[in-house]
Amino acid sequence: MQKVSFFKSIHVKLVLIYVLLIVIALQIIGIYFSKELEDSLKNNFQDSILQRMELVQYSIREEMIKERNETASTSMPPTESGIDAILREFSTDDINEIRVIDSRNRIIATSEDENHSMVGQRANDDVVRKAMSAETIQDNISLDKQTMQRVWVLAAPITETVAPNGEVLGAIYIESDIEKVFEQMSEINRIFAAGIAVSLVITIILGILVARTITRPISDMRKQAQAMSKGNFSRKVRVYGTDEIGQLAIAFNHLTNRLQESQSTTEAERRKLASVLSNMTDGVIATDRKGKIILINDPALSLLHDTRESTLNRPIASVLGLDQEYSFEDLIHMKEAISLDFSTSDAPYILRANFSVIQKETGFVNGLITVLHDITEQEKIDMERREFVANVSHELRTPLTTMRSYLEALADGAWQDKDIAPTFLNVTQTETERMIRLVNDLLQLSKMDSQEYELNFEFVEFNKFFTHIIDRFEMSKSKNVEFLRLLPESSYFVDIDTDKLTQVMDNIISNSLKYSPDGGNIRFGVTVHENMLRVMISDDGMGIPKENVGRIFDRFYRVDRARARSMGGTGLGLAIAREMIEAHGGRIWAESEEGVGTTIFFTLPFELDGAGDWE
Ligand code: ATP
Ligand code: MG
């Protein structure tokens, strides 16, 4: 948040407003006050001068009338000693000078000794002339050129009678020191200004303090709001009082609490959602309303073999590899799941994508959620099941078709032929046995698939058990094949279901016999590897092509179908063997080279001597 500059702060504004109001109020009071004071001081001064002037005027008139009468009889120039005496009597501090002027406009007396030389000269003051001609009192304020001080000049006519229109005998000229009034005034103004200055300082200090009580909570709240925007809810605004600002602070703290609560709920929800998203096995991808990926969980990334950096903000259709067939608009309206086939020639890899739209109540599409699920296993099982059904029906149909043609031939009259009939019946019998064997094998496998079988464990010495089986094959063998026994001296005790293991070994040995040439060898070996007994049955037969070696343990798998069937196999023997060995806790595998021979290995857990549990 921007910092409030000092001069723009409410604090300064409040103080400024406060001070300005006080200044304006004091100014108005001051102007009014000093104007009134000045007027009243001036009036008082002038009134006192005027009063004295009237007295002087009266005295001088009397004196003049008296003198005129005297001069009329003696025709002597009047003596001014009487007037001088009056002037001296009336002379005071505030009156600078009083002059008396006769009707011929000559100065006949002055109170100021320094100006005595002026006596007898003509008076050339305008006010005097005006006063005499207008017979009224004249006045003005002028500047004394010598002292540079303001003086109030007053001129009053002296008439014979008090009433107007009497003969003008002369005039009085009074120069009074009004500067004193002005000096007094400016002294008062100075005191007033000092008072204003002092009161301003006090009001500024008070203003700052008062404004602080308002602005401090506000600036506290401002700081709090700034902290909140950074996610810090631990601060609280101090409540200074119960006024509006105090209530605002309380409301603010309340708001902070509520915000903190909802923030923590949102945070908890977010964490919950994040942990749900990352812990679920399905991949989840969310997009914005334009189809750009905004969220992708870890399972989705591992399902797509992609990184978060390279998928975020990319269009969903292109990340799913659907951009050739579908637009984002199509995916929004997609009601059914889509299978995404990422299979390579080496391994199948199929994902199923379900789409659901995030929509507002108004119908506005906010985004798309895609859920990805790995259905490779499911597809594989489905495929195996289909293949299995196809295999079973094929395996059953072949002997049935054969039997039908033989039975038809018999029905057509071959039964009467003593040479053919037994052969034909023999074939149908073989085929029936084959079918029974097939169905038995299938039953056994299905039992093993649904874990419905029980193993009857017996504690036996393996070499003895193995030798017994080899002996049986050696006695009944129809081919010229030599059996080589590479069995160790020591005894190895194993906990096995002898019937089941006999079946496994029968199948392995009969395979070796089946695929061995005349005069070949079959080697039987037992060794110990990694705490397991390793059994080996090896032949010099035709071998198995390298790419098919791993598959001979699959159900119905035969390297060469036609040849295997002619040899009576169903392709289930090794599949059963694998299930059995694994049920005993062992492993079975084959090594083979075409034209050289095949070796089948399997392992079994064992004990070195007879010190088993039964002792
Ligand atoms: P079944 O054992 O059910 O009568 P089968 O022998 O054909 O029929 P498996 O024993 O499962 O079936 O063997 C599967 C296939 O593996 C055989 O068809 C054969 O092609 C191949 N195979 C197994 N053992 C050998 C071997 N010793 N030499 C060459 N090929 C073998
Ligand atoms: Mg077999």
Side-chain angles (χ1 to χ4, degrees), residues 250-262:
I250 293 170
F252 199 85
N253 284 339
H254 186 62
L255 178 74
T256 309
N257 285 341
R258 294 296 302 273
L259 254 176
Q260 186 172 13
E261 278 166 25
S262 59

Side-chain angles (χ1 to χ4, degrees), residues 13-155:
K13 277 184 196 158
L14 274 175
V15 174
L16 274 181
I17 290 169
Y18 195 85
V19 168
L20 271 176
L21 285 177
I22 300 262
V23 166
I24 289 170
L26 285 176
Q27 279 299 316
I28 293 169
I29 293 169
I31 289 168
Y32 178 75
F33 175 78
S34 63
K35 179 93 189 85
E36 287 294 303
L37 194 67
E38 188 182 321
D39 283 353
S40 116
L41 280 177
K42 222 158 84 182
N43 285 345
N44 282 351
F45 180 80
Q46 286 176 338
D47 282 351
S48 98
I49 299 285
L50 272 173
Q51 270 170 16
R52 264 175 293 167
M53 191 208 66
E54 269 163 29
L55 281 175
V56 176
Q57 197 182 18
Y58 177 78
S59 307
I60 298 230
R61 180 169 47 230
E62 295 302 302
E63 189 66 27
M64 275 183 152
I65 291 168
K66 198 173 90 191
E67 276 176 11
R68 192 177 58 177
N69 295 341
E70 280 171 15
T71 26
S73 55
T74 60
S75 77
M76 278 276 286
T79 57
E80 264 70 50
S81 59
I83 294 172
D84 279 342
I86 294 165
L87 292 188
R88 223 164 291 129
E89 185 188 326
F90 280 101
S91 175
T92 50
D93 267 1
D94 48 1
I95 292 175
N96 290 350
E97 188 180 5
I98 309 176
R99 289 179 204 163
V100 181
I101 292 117
D102 69 3
S103 54
R104 279 166 306 192
N105 207 12
R106 269 190 310 141
I107 299 168
I108 53 173
T110 171
S111 65
E112 191 69 25
D113 292 338
E114 284 168 23
N115 291 347
H116 231 280
S117 57
M118 286 169 78
V119 174
Q121 288 182 4
R122 285 186 73 85
N124 43 12
D125 294 282
D126 271 353
V127 272
V128 175
R129 229 173 292 130
K130 267 193 209 151
M132 281 202 284
S133 58
E135 290 181 34
T136 50
I137 297 172
Q138 298 287 323
D139 74 320
N140 72 17
I141 292 177
S142 62
L143 200 68
D144 189 320
K145 291 205 175 58
Q146 284 155 15
T147 59
M148 292 309 281
Q149 288 191 328
R150 271 166 292 186
V151 288
W152 186 43
V153 177
L154 189 69

Side-chain angles (χ1 to χ4, degrees), residues 458-557:
E458 260 178 81
F459 205 60
V460 295
E461 205 284 303
F462 190 74
N463 282 331
K464 227 174 180 178
F465 167 72
F466 200 10
T467 312
H468 183 72
I469 295 174
I470 301 167
D471 286 346
R472 181 156 54 75
F473 269 95
E474 202 161 31
M475 276 191 295
S476 63
K477 69 182 177 196
S478 53
K479 263 185 188 167
N480 175 26
V481 176
E482 201 178 333
F483 283 13
L484 300 177
R485 299 164 203 235
L486 311 165
L487 303 180
E489 296 286 296
S490 24
S491 311
Y492 297 103
F493 286 86
V494 287
D495 211 3
I496 51 170
D497 184 326
T498 44
D499 284 352
K500 297 280 177 352
L501 219 65
T502 308
Q503 192 189 341
V504 170
M505 295 175 98
D506 278 359
N507 182 48
I508 296 172
I509 298 169
S510 65
N511 279 349
S512 296
L513 274 172
K514 244 194 277 183
Y515 300 107
S516 277
D518 245 11
N521 286 330
I522 297 184
R523 292 165 294 281
F524 303 93
V526 174
T527 50
V528 172
H529 277 272
E530 292 164 1
N531 298 326
M532 297 287 265
L533 207 61
R534 180 182 286 186
V535 184
M536 172 206 86
I537 296 149
S538 178
D539 63 56
D540 312 325
M542 57 200 304
I544 306 161
K546 223 175 194 65
E547 63 272 21
N548 300 330
V549 176
R551 299 192 58 194
I552 58 171
F553 300 97
D554 291 351
R555 293 172 192 190
F556 294 112
Y557 183 79

Side-chain angles (χ1 to χ4, degrees), residues 36 284 288 295 307 415 421 571 603:
E36 287 294 303
V284 177
D288 62 8
L295 183 147
T307 61
W415 64 276
T603 62

